[in-house]
Amino acid sequence: ASGGASHVTAELGESLTGTAQIVFFLIGAMTIVEVVDAHDGFAVVTARIQTQRLSTLIWLVGMVTFFLSAILDNLTTTIVMVSLMKKLLGRHDDRLLFAGIIVVAANAGGAWSPIGDVTTTMLWIGGQITALAIMQGVFLPSLVSLLVPLAITARVLGRQAVQTPARTDAGVAAPRTGFEKNLMFFLGLGILVLVPAFTTWTGLPPFMGILFGLGILWAVGDLV
């Protein structure tokens, strides 16, 4: 009986360890995104989105979400992009339409990257897939699954104009410098992209790389 109990305890410990690694990885990734957003880092993206047509904007948003989701996890990317749409779109119906495309693009983009989705992250951490193999095998199907609904939606929107929300200065925090926004945005994305390389070079589990990168990003944020 004691041998059976110890075996069950060992199995539970191994299962808990694997689950904890995934949880710590996702916590680290989402915290990195929050730190970048706290320094207005995503303004680097919104400042470059300048178009007056909804059809053009939805193409830009869809492609940005697709590639951003491959770096971040798809849930975090969806939250970030929907938040950005609140700053770009004034009509409620437009926001709902764009939110739908963002969900499709985030799921498509997360599928071809080892760190873009909880499922691929679990498989990658468990050693069932490699980063290069999943990118080669899944990228084109993922791209097609985005382009089809994106093309249909853009055609439906036609030449409709973008209606921006009314601006208000109430409760706005002190503005960040351009250097700070760029530094935190590119450093945050760079850390997320380099996690697979960190795992390969050191042999340590991915959650160690994400927590190490979070420490670097947090320290840099405090310094600036």
Side-chain angles (χ1 to χ4, degrees):
S2 61
S6 63
H7 176 71
V8 171
T9 302
E11 290 292 330
L12 287 173
E14 184 177 347
S15 177
L16 182 61
T17 300
T19 304
Q21 288 189 28
I22 297 167
V23 171
F24 278 118
F25 180 91
L26 293 176
I27 289 174
M30 295 183 75
T31 306
I32 286 175
V33 172
E34 289 298 323
V35 171
V36 172
D37 190 46
H39 291 267
D40 289 339
F42 291 107
V44 175
V45 177
T46 56
R48 285 163 173 76
I49 300 178
Q50 297 180 354
T51 178
Q52 298 303 314
R53 286 188 184 180
L54 282 176
S55 57
T56 304
L57 181 61
I58 206 166
W59 275 103
L60 288 172
V61 169
M63 298 310 295
V64 168
T65 305
F66 180 77
F67 287 102
L68 193 60
S69 181
I71 302 171
L72 314 178
D73 66 279
N74 52 15
L75 177 60
T76 304
T77 303
T78 301
I79 293 170
V80 169
M81 293 304 296
V82 169
S83 298
L84 295 183
M85 290 306 99
K86 292 177 65 178
K87 300 178 182 179
L88 294 175
L89 299 172
R91 287 191 295 255
H92 179 68
D93 290 345
D94 292 343
R95 292 180 186 174
L96 290 179
L97 187 62
F98 274 68
I101 287 296
I102 287 169
V103 170
V104 172
N107 280 280
W112 61 271
S113 165
I115 60 174
D117 182 83
V118 176
T119 306
T120 53
T121 300
M122 291 172 64
L123 293 172
W124 177 52
I125 291 175
Q128 282 86 11
I129 60 173
T130 61
L132 185 59
I134 192 172
M135 291 173 70
Q136 290 177 334
V138 186
F139 177 77
L140 284 179
S142 297
L143 186 60
V144 170
S145 69
L146 167 65
L147 292 180
V148 172
L150 193 55
I152 294 172
T153 308
R155 184 174 179 83
V156 169
L157 289 174
R159 296 178 176 271
Q160 293 184 48
V162 175
Q163 180 178 318
T164 57
R167 299 191 58 162
T168 175
D169 296 328
V172 176
R176 308 287 183 173
T177 64
F179 170 77
E180 180 180 350
K181 294 176 184 178
N182 282 280
L183 175 64
M184 297 303 290
F185 177 75
F186 289 107
L187 181 60
L189 290 189
I191 287 169
L192 291 165
V193 170
L194 289 175
V195 169
F198 175 90
T199 302
T200 302
W201 293 336
T202 64
L204 294 171
F207 83 92
M208 291 293 292
I210 208 80
L211 293 179
F212 177 64
L214 175 59
I216 294 174
L217 185 68
W218 202 292
V220 172
D222 282 347
L223 289 174
V224 298

